[in-house]
């Protein structure tokens, strides 16, 4: 592990447990030097990471925290240690079987560095999955439930069914390594990692160090068909569904005549088109698998 150790805590995602996190860090780092930075605004974590070199940066939060950390550390000599303290913690599922941030911190020495791939959409890096269509709308609608403490844990699942009644399939033009697909889609996901939405196994074939994004294309479906495929999307068995196509790709161009939502590891933006690609060996994480 690098000599310099910096803990980047997402103040929003960890607001109810910051004191406990700091105490766990203190125990884990007993006798060692380290820094703690608490994010104050969107983009703060990315800016902070860019000010370091040859360091181990601990991403303490969820996938949104990791997205910022990756955009500061990608293609640098900084290494990332993911501490799962957010609500989803999806990318860390391919790095470790542990979900408890306290246990991860107390077991730091059991983790070792591994250089893997990351994705890039336009000028933004992503660790896990980029997507457009139904699932991007789910992310947007999940915010309606995240403000309610009793529903926050189930916000993504609740949004799946809420979105069922509001979403209309997207007509997209996808150019995947030179091959064009132009039609209406339920969703298109471009996966480096395997999970999103708090454990939904959307991309069971994806491997984080194979040099490819796994592209999952789901054709447009009616509400009944969506209801029938949803359980399969939850557990990964949709890979054999006749309306689902899986393609391994290096570069994808996405465009539409109408604006659409682009989802990058839970971060949403409006666009009419973007280029998505895999960055081989673009980042180093600490793993225990």
């Amino acid at each position: 592990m690098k000599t310099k150790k910096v803990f980047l805590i997402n103040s929003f995602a960890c607001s109810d447990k910051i004191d406990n996190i700091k105490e766990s860090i203190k125990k884990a780092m007993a006798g060692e030097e380290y820094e703690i930075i608490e994010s104050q605004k969107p983009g703060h974590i990315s800016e902070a990471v860019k000010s370091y070199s040859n360091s181990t940066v601990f991403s303490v939060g969820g996938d949104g925290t990791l997205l910022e950390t990756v955009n500061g550390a990608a293609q640098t000599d900084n290494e990332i240690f993911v501490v799962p303290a957010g609500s989803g913690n999806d990318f860390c599922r391919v790095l470790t079987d542990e979900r408890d941030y306290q246990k991860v911190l107390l077991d730091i020495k059991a983790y070792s560095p591994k250089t893997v791939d990351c994705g890039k959409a336009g000028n933004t890096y992503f660790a896990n999955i980029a997507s457009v269509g139904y699932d991007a709308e789910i992310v947007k609608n999940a915010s309606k439930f995240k403000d309610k403490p009793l529903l926050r844990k189930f916000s993504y699942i609740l949004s799946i069914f809420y979105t069922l009644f509001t979403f209309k399939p997207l007509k997209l033009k996808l150019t995947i390594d030179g091959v064009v697909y132009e039609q209406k889609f339920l969703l298109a996901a471009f996966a480096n990692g395997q999970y999103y939405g708090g454990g939904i196994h959307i991309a069971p074939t994806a491997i984080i160090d194979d040099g490819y994004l796994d592209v999952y294309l789901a054709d447009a479906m009616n509400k009944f068909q969506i209801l029938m495929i949803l359980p399969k999307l939850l557990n990964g068995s949709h890979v054999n569904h006749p309306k689902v196509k899986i393609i391994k790709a290096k570069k994808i161009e996405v465009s539409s005549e109408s604006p659409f939502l682009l989802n990058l590891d839970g971060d949403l933006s409006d666009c009419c088109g973007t280029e998505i690609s895999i960055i081989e060996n673009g980042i180093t994480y600490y793993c225990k698998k």
Side-chain angles (χ1 to χ4, degrees), residues 17 61 82-105 111 195 198-199 288-289:
K17 49 183 177 282
V82 182
V83 180
S87 57
N89 307 309
D90 283 301
F91 185 73
C92 79
R93 294 170 187 268
V94 298
L95 304 178
T96 177
D97 293 323
E98 186 55 69
R99 302 286 170 267
D100 186 319
Y101 72 87
Q102 293 175 312
K103 291 180 180 178
V104 169
L105 285 168
Y111 289 73
Y195 300 87
K288 185 187 174 185
K289 271 201 169 184

Side-chain angles (χ1 to χ4, degrees), residues 3 22 47 65 80 96-97 99 122 130 138 159 175 209 234 266:
T3 303
K22 288 181 178 178
E47 292 171 6
T65 310
I80 298 177
T96 177
D97 293 323
R99 302 286 170 267
I138 288 170
S159 183
T175 305
D209 59 354
L234 294 173

Side-chain angles (χ1 to χ4, degrees), residues 148-219:
K148 301 172 176 60
L150 294 177
L151 301 179
R152 185 177 301 158
K153 186 176 180 180
F154 309 101
S155 60
Y156 199 91
I157 299 297
L158 291 169
S159 183
I160 287 174
F161 294 98
Y162 177 89
T163 306
L164 176 66
F165 298 100
T166 60
F167 177 73
K168 294 181 180 179
L170 286 175
K171 185 174 182 180
L172 298 171
K173 180 180 179 182
L174 302 174
T175 305
I176 303 174
D177 287 341
V179 179
V180 177
Y181 302 81
E182 191 166 8
Q183 64 179 74
K184 286 187 176 181
F185 291 98
L186 175 68
L187 65 84
F190 315 99
N192 185 42
Q194 296 188 7
Y195 300 87
Y196 64 9
I200 293 174
H201 206 181
I202 183 67
T205 63
I207 301 171
I208 60 174
D209 59 354
D210 66 347
Y212 290 91
L213 291 169
D214 281 29
V215 181
Y216 280 72
L217 304 178
D219 295 345

